[in-house]
């Protein structure tokens, strides 16, 4: 009787263990079925995530095998490698080329700035720093991840993870459902390489290149200082645009510049500073300006055109040389200031 009891207990224990193992296996299989259903809802809309539906999942597996999925997987990896990844690399290369071009242009403009006296004995140089905008930094990192060759456990570079990295990026370029406007703004921002930079300016002594003063968006400079700095950089940019650094200031090139609403809000001092710079560069200027600034500009132009309105609301343009204007100024009682 004791022997029978021990046999019974041993068999029951074995049954309990097997039952427990089967229950855990069933739970694991059901969990995997549920994950598959979540991932492929259309293919499994009529299938339950229960062990009784195992034959339905076997049928899906057999169909995939019969359709030669491994061969298509290899083809997919090849297309991902030879097509999409290469396109991403070319895209990154284009952005990098633009970044290098910008830094090269800044170097050239700095050569022009070196020849312009900002204050007595000093000059301005532009400093392009990397923008620390979170969206731009994340975009740059995502691009690098798409091109990185990180091996998985099987030694495979082009994994499903790599596919999703590329897909997530392309989805944002195309505009995700319900987020099209947001994604368009994001794309315009992160792919405009000019946004990759934050520019500041350093005023330096010509004698030893040591810094005299630093200018940035956050620096609390006066309006006059900012205007003067803006005119200095504009003059240097024009020198670059017309190749004056390479060909020399006094070549016979056509260098026409039109400035609209010129000097309207700036100080007289900064306006004169800007005009002196443009004169030094021998630019051909067409200046559109309100009358209150003409007393400054008249020493830098050869002729003037007045736009005025008749009583019948017709707009007319009057032309005269600057010498004739100065002769007529008192007759018209135009105030000098």
């Amino acid at each position: 009787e004791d022997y029978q009891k021990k046999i019974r207990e041993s068999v029951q224990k074995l049954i309990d263990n097997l039952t427990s193992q089967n229950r855990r296996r069933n739970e694991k299989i059901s969990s995997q079925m549920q994950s598959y259903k979540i991932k492929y809802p259309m293919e499994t809309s009529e299938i339950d995530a229960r062990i009784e539906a195992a034959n339905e999942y076997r049928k899906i597996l057999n169909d995939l095998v019969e359709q030669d999925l491994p061969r298509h997987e290899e083809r997919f990896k090849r297309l991902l490698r030879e097509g999409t990844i290469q396109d991403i690399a070319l895209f990154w290369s284009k952005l990098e080329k633009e970044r290098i071009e910008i830094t090269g242009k800044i170097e050239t403009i700095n050569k022009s700035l070196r020849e312009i006296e900002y204050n007595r004995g000093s000059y301005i140089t532009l400093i392009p720093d990397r923008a620390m905008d979170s969206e731009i930094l994340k975009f740059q990192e995502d691009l690098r991840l798409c091109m990185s060759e990180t091996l998985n456990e099987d030694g495979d570079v082009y994994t499903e993870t790599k596919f999703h990295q590329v897909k997530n990026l392309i989805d944002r370029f195309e505009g995700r459902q319900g987020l099209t406007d947001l994604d368009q703004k994001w794309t315009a921002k992160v792919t405009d390489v000019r946004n990759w930079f934050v520019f500041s300016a350093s005023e330096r002594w010509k004698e030893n290149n040591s810094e005299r003063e630093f200018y940035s968006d956050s620096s609390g400079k006066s309006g006059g200082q900012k205007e003067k700095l803006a005119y200095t950089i504009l003059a240097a940019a024009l020198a670059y645009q017309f190749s004056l650094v390479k060909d020399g200031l006094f070549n016979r090139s056509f260098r026409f510049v039109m400035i609209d609403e010129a000097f309207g809000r700036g100080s007289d001092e900064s306006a004169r500073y800007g005009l002196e710079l443009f004169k030094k560069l021998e630019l051909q200027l067409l200046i559109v300006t309100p009358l209150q600034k003409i007393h400054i500009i008249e020493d830098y132009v050869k002729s003037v055109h007045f736009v005025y309105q008749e009583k019948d609301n017709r707009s007319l343009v009057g032309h005269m040389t600057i010498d004739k204007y100065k002769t007529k100024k008192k007759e018209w009682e135009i105030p000098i200031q």
Side-chain angles (χ1 to χ4, degrees):
E1 186 175 334
D2 290 340
Y3 182 72
Q4 289 178 343
K5 182 179 178 182
K6 290 180 180 180
I7 292 293
R8 213 169 24 247
E9 291 175 349
S10 178
V11 171
Q12 187 60 49
K13 185 177 180 180
L14 179 61
I15 292 173
D16 291 343
N17 287 338
L18 291 174
T19 301
S20 178
Q21 289 177 12
N22 286 336
R23 185 176 62 254
R24 288 195 297 271
R25 289 193 185 99
N26 286 346
E27 290 173 352
K28 184 177 180 180
I29 292 171
S30 295
S31 176
Q32 292 174 337
M33 288 177 173
Q34 185 61 37
S35 297
Y36 187 81
K37 278 178 64 64
I38 293 173
K39 197 169 185 179
Y40 303 100
M42 293 185 63
E43 291 83 351
T44 58
S45 60
E46 298 181 0
I47 306 175
D48 294 329
R50 295 185 299 117
I51 196 68
E52 289 80 4
N55 286 334
E56 296 294 333
Y57 289 92
R58 290 193 186 97
K59 184 177 182 301
I60 293 175
L61 176 61
N62 290 335
D63 290 343
L64 291 173
V65 173
E66 289 174 2
Q67 292 172 10
D68 201 2
L69 179 63
R71 180 174 62 84
H72 290 294
E73 183 179 7
E74 288 302 318
R75 179 172 175 270
F76 161 76
K77 291 178 180 179
R78 178 173 57 81
L79 291 175
L80 180 65
R81 178 181 65 251
E82 297 177 0
T84 308
I85 299 296
Q86 286 186 2
D87 288 343
I88 291 289
L90 288 173
F91 177 58
W92 174 255
S93 177
K94 181 178 181 299
L95 295 178
E96 272 293 289
K97 181 180 178 182
E98 292 179 3
R99 184 189 64 80
I100 293 171
E101 285 179 354
I102 289 175
T103 56
K105 289 177 181 179
I106 294 300
E107 290 177 3
T108 304
I109 290 174
N110 278 337
K111 291 179 182 178
S112 301
L113 287 169
R114 187 70 172 79
E115 302 303 317
I116 298 173
E117 186 172 64
Y118 187 69
N119 286 309
R120 185 178 295 276
S122 72
Y123 69 96
I124 290 291
T125 189
L126 296 179
I127 304 172
D129 291 317
R130 183 185 182 189
M132 301 309 293
D133 183 277
S134 58
E135 287 187 327
I136 292 175
L137 294 177
K138 181 67 166 57
F139 166 70
Q140 293 170 340
E141 179 63 21
D142 288 344
L143 272 181
R144 281 190 285 267
L145 284 175
C146 288
M147 296 181 295
S148 65
E149 297 186 354
T150 304
L151 298 176
N152 65 0
E153 294 178 356
D154 300 324
D156 193 354
V157 175
Y158 301 100
T159 61
E160 187 173 350
T161 300
K162 181 70 65 180
F163 166 77
H164 284 293
Q165 288 173 348
V166 176
K167 183 178 183 300
N168 291 338
L169 199 59
I170 293 176
D171 284 346
R172 293 205 71 177
F173 286 153
E174 293 180 345
R176 296 164 295 177
Q177 186 175 3
L179 298 171
T180 303
D181 291 342
L182 186 65
D183 286 345
Q184 285 178 348
K185 292 178 181 178
W186 173 85
T187 300
K189 175 183 177 180
V190 300
T191 59
D192 188 341
V193 179
R194 293 172 296 182
N195 295 327
W196 294 15
F197 293 92
V198 173
F199 295 98
S200 54
S202 173
E203 182 182 356
R204 299 178 181 179
W205 295 110
K206 286 191 174 184
E207 58 182 5
N208 57 13
N209 296 321
S210 62
E211 187 169 87
R212 179 181 184 272
E213 196 160 358
F214 183 80
Y215 302 84
S216 68
D217 286 343
S218 59
S219 59
K221 306 302 178 184
S222 67
Q225 286 177 307
K226 292 180 179 179
E227 290 166 11
K228 184 177 179 180
L229 181 61
Y231 288 135
T232 303
I233 296 172
L234 174 60
L238 290 170
Y240 168 81
Q241 185 70 28
F242 292 114
S243 301
L244 303 184
V245 176
K246 181 177 68 174
D247 300 332
L249 290 179
F250 304 106
N251 66 68
R252 296 179 60 83
S253 64
F254 180 66
R255 48 185 101 160
F256 175 77
V257 177
M258 184 180 77
I259 307 176
D260 191 16
E261 296 294 329
F263 317 114
R265 298 180 181 179
S267 65
D268 290 357
E269 181 183 355
S270 61
R272 288 193 182 92
Y273 173 81
L275 286 165
E276 284 291 341
L277 281 180
F278 301 148
K279 181 180 178 180
K280 181 180 179 180
L281 295 176
E282 293 194 341
L283 300 174
Q284 292 103 31
L285 290 177
L286 172 60
I287 302 174
V288 182
T289 183
L291 282 176
Q292 65 263 31
K293 289 294 182 181
I294 197 168
H295 67 284
I296 300 172
I297 296 170
E298 64 184 31
D299 294 330
Y300 298 90
V301 297
K302 293 184 178 180
S303 62
V304 293
H305 300 264
F306 286 96
V307 180
Y308 59 97
Q309 197 173 63
E310 293 282 10
K311 292 181 179 179
D312 59 1
N313 292 328
R314 288 184 304 157
S315 293
L316 300 175
V317 180
H319 166 74
M320 65 184 69
T321 64
I322 193 64
D323 293 332
K324 185 177 180 180
Y325 160 75
K326 289 180 178 179
T327 301
K328 291 284 187 179
K329 185 164 56 174
K330 290 184 178 180
E331 298 177 15
W332 293 342
E333 296 182 349
I334 296 178
I336 295 178
Q337 295 187 15

